[in-house]
Amino acid sequence: MSLFASRKTRYVDTDILVIGGGFGGCGATYESRYWGHDLKITLVEKANIERSGAVAHGLSAINCYMGMRWNENRPEDFVRYVRGDLMGLVREDLVFDIARHVDSTVHKFEEWGLPFFKNEATGRYLREGKWQVLIHGESYKPIIAEAARKSASEVFNRIMVTHLLPDRNNPERIAGAIGFNVRTGELHVFRAKAVIVAAGGASHIFRPRSIGEGAGRTWYAPWSSASAYGLVLKAGARMVQMENRIVLARFKDGYGPVGAWSLLLKAPTTNAYGENYEAARLDEFKALVGKYAETVPLPTCLRCHAMLEEIKAGRGPVYMHTERVLDSKEKEEIGWEDFLDMTIGQAVVWASQNIDPKERPSELITSEPYIMGSHATCSGAWASGPEDCAPDDYQWGYNRMMTVTGLFGSGDTIGGSAHKFSSGSFTEGRIAGKAAVRYVAEQGKNLPQVDEAQIRQLGQVLFKPLENYELGRAEIVAGTVSPSYITPLQGLQRLEKLMDEYVGGISTFYMTSAPMLERGLELLTLLKEDLAHLGAESLHQLQRAWELDHRVWTAEAVLRHTLYRQETRWPGYYYRGDFPKLNDAEWHAFTASHYDTESGEWEMGKLPVHQIVE
């Protein structure tokens, strides 16, 4: 019997279970209560919803806002923009669905107390760019978390969800989830009629640029451990576009954002010789991606590609000329607040390097890759679309329901709909919450049955790293290397190294190929085998162990999708050296995967791309 089999188990029955307390989860909780007045709605978060998710530290802008009340933009305009930025591959029905509802979400944020910058002449929100509005966002997350907390029947903070549970009588239906309290170790079993996964995407799958004491420093939240994908793909959900990782241009070393500086303050970017290198590379772009090179604005991946080519050609460093635009006290305040709202570390880096942005430019660099469905890429689960505008083959159930009955998603979890950001993720959570309430009312009236034998088995698996450590720690004479187990950090470093070197990370300038990917898969398979021998000396390390598990499974999906797509669709995000150009004739399609939980096999395929907006 397991050393930890006697741990206390708590059962929680609920109508709707929301996993993840970021913006997607808060939106799902809020809207579920609005439509499901009498339902029990339970929100589960591995940290604390007051400061969890990608916006935990704050934010300086809301990046998805139409401005329809002032006739600034229309949802159709946004669909065209997203389609262009993603090189033609996007679920237009999902993007349109968010765009037509997102303004009401933003207006709610203002009603709840979020302070916005205003244009004094017009009274409108101050625009950073065509889709962005500036906010004083250091308390953005607590304001939104308050609405979710008031809407939920129960909020369980500090619960690390490790597995989703199938219905004992119908394996194609979701029944709940299992996890543990990271403070007490108490096992939690949640039985639910519907489950909405709104967990985070993946940082720390690829090796970051930061080293030494800064090794945990990444652009995307370092606590975003791929649970959005690790949970649902092992539950049998079909995944799409997992190769569509994101790489971003950021201020070097501190990962400071460049949006306000480039869009609002109009700071130019040049190579080390003062040249505007993007404009000079138009013919090169056309040779790689054809008509997509003429998209306005230039797709995000191509901007990264241009920067990389300059650096490889020896014309770096690449600089953003902050000193050319800080000509007033107001602009200087905006520039500094951009960091102080969400990336204080960048201000510290400038101070440590004697950089005054009014006097000298600052270096830009590309980040390591991240996997996410809410920013400028659209990795995630394949979801049913809205009834009124989704094509027939995009619609098989309730809006935002995955290919597992009763399993919904929002934010990073749902694939195919990029450029959600904070407001779009909250909006998608609202869409999923409303649909989940309808599902419960129409089809989910009876609580699914979980398999008690499976619960016992998962409980033993869940706490196995603690047992591995307890049994093997006496074999260590000195240091941390054990013949019996590996630590979560050792496993994470192995994962980052192999993904970086074989699957297109910074060390290869994002280059990969079939032989490299196949070797990477071989090493990843060995790492997965070693996950059975993880050792955790504390509950904190047990949490790290299961975060690693979710990252490894997600990494495998990324690798398999990258191997399957035989073209370079997004130069700047990654390159297939054996297929260096975009190929619309054969690959104007979504890549899709399905992991069979019974056989352990992966099935790869294509799904059609439909254009619904001219």
Side-chain angles (χ1 to χ4, degrees):
M1 176 177 287
S2 167
L3 292 174
F4 302 93
S6 60
R7 284 186 178 272
K8 182 179 179 182
T9 300
R10 178 174 180 179
Y11 285 84
V12 178
D13 291 334
T14 188
D15 293 304
I16 296 177
L17 174 66
V18 180
I19 300 173
F23 268 64
C26 286
T29 304
Y30 172 80
E31 198 73 9
S32 294
R33 172 59 63 215
Y34 181 86
W35 297 100
H37 302 289
D38 300 325
L39 297 183
K40 183 177 181 181
I41 300 159
T42 302
L43 175 59
V44 181
E45 162 62 43
K46 75 175 179 182
N48 187 302
I49 66 169
E50 292 298 309
R51 288 288 185 181
S52 64
V55 191
H57 288 167
L59 209 59
S60 65
I62 289 175
N63 292 328
C64 182
Y65 178 70
M66 304 298 108
M68 287 185 282
R69 62 161 53 160
W70 296 300
N71 200 31
E72 292 177 328
N73 297 293
R74 304 298 302 173
E76 294 84 357
D77 301 326
F78 189 68
V79 172
R80 296 184 190 101
Y81 162 64
V82 176
R83 180 174 64 209
D85 197 59
L86 271 290
M87 316 294 271
L89 303 189
V90 68
R91 276 283 299 271
E92 295 190 17
D93 59 317
L94 302 184
V95 176
F96 179 80
D97 201 20
I98 291 172
R100 63 181 170 179
H101 295 301
V102 72
D103 282 13
S104 67
T105 289
V106 174
H107 300 157
K108 284 185 180 296
F109 292 169
E110 186 175 26
E111 292 173 9
W112 295 342
L114 180 64
F116 285 70
F117 284 79
K118 296 291 182 70
N119 185 317
E120 294 182 0
T122 65
R124 302 177 183 181
Y125 299 147
L126 182 63
R127 284 282 183 187
E128 179 182 289
K130 186 174 177 62
W131 311 105
Q132 302 86 1
V133 293
L134 285 169
I135 60 174
H136 300 279
E138 63 277 2
S139 296
Y140 192 11
K141 183 61 201 300
I143 290 171
I144 273 60
E146 181 181 5
R149 190 175 62 250
K150 290 178 177 178
S151 300
S153 305
E154 287 184 288
V155 175
F156 288 86
N157 289 312
R158 307 296 178 187
I159 303 295
M160 173 74 191
V161 174
T162 61
H163 299 80
L164 297 179
L165 299 173
D167 187 346
R168 182 182 62 195
N169 301 318
N170 178 9
E172 300 299 319
R173 181 188 178 190
I174 204 69
I178 188 171
F180 67 98
N181 187 298
V182 301
R183 294 290 188 264
T184 68
E186 184 179 36
L187 187 68
H188 281 66
V189 178
F190 298 93
R191 295 179 291 206
K193 298 173 184 176
V195 175
I196 303 173
V197 176
S203 62
H204 284 293
I205 279 184
F206 289 83
R207 182 162 47 193
R209 289 193 181 276
S210 300
I211 61 172
E213 292 181 355
R217 181 69 184 165
T218 57
W219 164 75
Y220 188 46
W223 51 84
S224 289
S225 55
S227 295
Y229 315 124
L231 287 172
V232 302
L233 73 83
K234 287 198 290 182
R238 177 176 289 172
M239 309 302 290
V240 295
Q241 299 298 87
M242 294 301 290
E243 78 280 15
N244 185 210
R245 81 285 300 273
I246 188 169
V247 170
L248 294 150
R250 286 296 180 261
F251 284 109
K252 193 172 183 296
D253 298 328
Y255 291 89
V258 300
W261 290 91
S262 61
L263 294 173
L264 179 65
L265 301 178
K266 309 298 183 184
T269 301
T270 71
N271 62 22
Y273 300 99
E275 299 166 336
N276 179 355
Y277 55 87
E278 285 185 6
R281 291 186 175 274
L282 180 58
D283 290 339
E284 173 192 328
F285 294 158
K286 289 181 179 179
L288 281 175
V289 300
K291 63 182 180 181
Y292 300 106
E294 299 175 351
T295 302
V296 179
L298 190 69
T300 307
C301 64
L302 292 182
R303 296 200 301 270
C304 290
H305 168 74
M307 181 184 297
L308 291 169
E309 291 303 300
E310 289 299 301
I311 293 172
K312 287 194 288 186
R315 290 191 285 272
V318 170
Y319 288 105
M320 176 165 279
H321 291 276
T322 57
E323 81 285 3
R324 298 184 188 177
V325 298
L326 296 183
D327 53 7
S328 70
K329 185 174 184 297
E330 179 186 17
K331 290 182 179 179
E332 187 175 2
E333 288 177 351
I334 289 174
W336 280 106
E337 182 163 345
D338 188 44
F339 293 152
L340 298 178
D341 274 344
M342 57 177 171
T343 318
I344 295 174
Q346 187 62 54
V348 175
V349 168
W350 276 1
S352 71
Q353 296 179 354
N354 296 328
I355 294 174
D356 183 340
K358 290 188 299 183
E359 297 179 358
R360 55 184 296 193
S362 293
E363 286 185 63
L364 300 185
I365 196 66
T366 54
S367 71
E368 64 278 358
Y370 308 100
I371 314 303
M372 55 196 307
S374 63
H375 203 276
T377 47
C378 52
S379 308
W382 187 245
S384 187
E387 293 179 356
D388 62 331
C389 63
D392 290 343
D393 50 352
Y394 287 1
Q395 189 178 145
W396 58 86
Y398 296 81
N399 202 352
R400 270 32 176 222
M401 189 170 80
M402 302 175 216
T403 52
V404 177
T405 303
L407 181 59
F408 298 79
S410 65
D412 278 336
T413 307
I414 298 300
S417 57
H419 289 274
K420 303 170 199 172
F421 303 102
S422 61
S423 56
S425 293
F426 189 95
T427 301
E428 190 167 50
R430 293 177 65 190
I431 293 168
K434 181 178 180 180
V437 169
R438 182 181 165 200
Y439 166 80
V440 169
E442 295 178 356
Q443 295 190 28
K445 295 181 181 179
N446 298 322
L447 191 70
Q449 299 299 307
V450 299
D451 188 333
E452 291 301 325
Q454 184 186 35
I455 296 298
R456 290 191 295 272
Q457 186 266 336
L458 285 176
Q460 292 183 356
V461 169
L462 200 156
F463 293 112
K464 190 68 161 55
L466 292 173
E467 182 178 350
N468 289 341
Y469 175 80
E470 191 69 24
L471 295 176
R473 64 192 178 100
E475 297 174 346
I476 297 178
V477 177
T480 60
V481 178
S482 167
S484 299
Y485 64 82
I486 63 171
T487 68
L489 179 58
Q490 290 165 343
L492 181 65
Q493 289 169 337
R494 278 176 61 182
L495 174 65
E496 290 182 339
K497 178 177 171 62
L498 78 87
M499 292 295 287
D500 177 60
E501 295 178 354
Y502 296 101
V503 193
I506 54 175
S507 67
T508 63
F509 275 100
Y510 313 99
M511 180 65 70
T512 187
S513 64
M516 293 174 72
L517 291 164
E518 287 162 358
R519 174 59 176 158
L521 184 58
E522 181 182 352
L523 295 172
L524 189 62
T525 300
L526 294 175
L527 176 56
K528 284 180 67 179
E529 292 174 0
D530 287 345
L531 291 184
H533 304 285
L534 279 171
E537 62 180 313
S538 64
L539 290 172
H540 179 75
Q541 288 303 305
L542 183 63
Q543 176 183 331
R544 292 287 179 258
W546 284 105
E547 288 176 339
L548 174 62
D549 179 87
H550 292 172
R551 283 186 165 109
V552 168
W553 279 92
T554 301
E556 182 171 359
V558 172
L559 192 157
R560 289 182 180 277
H561 278 247
T562 306
L563 180 60
Y564 184 71
R565 180 177 288 282
Q566 297 181 350
E567 67 163 354
T568 298
R569 171 65 58 164
W570 301 281
Y573 291 168
Y574 76 93
Y575 304 85
R576 281 289 300 263
D578 43 356
F579 298 99
K581 295 183 179 181
L582 183 147
N583 181 0
D584 254 350
E586 296 183 36
W587 288 98
H588 194 267
F590 297 116
T591 60
S593 65
H594 176 256
Y595 175 73
D596 190 310
T597 56
E598 295 295 326
S599 68
E601 297 295 322
W602 291 77
E603 178 188 353
M604 302 300 302
K606 296 180 182 180
L607 291 168
V609 176
H610 295 300
Q611 182 172 320
I612 66 172
V613 173
E614 293 298 326

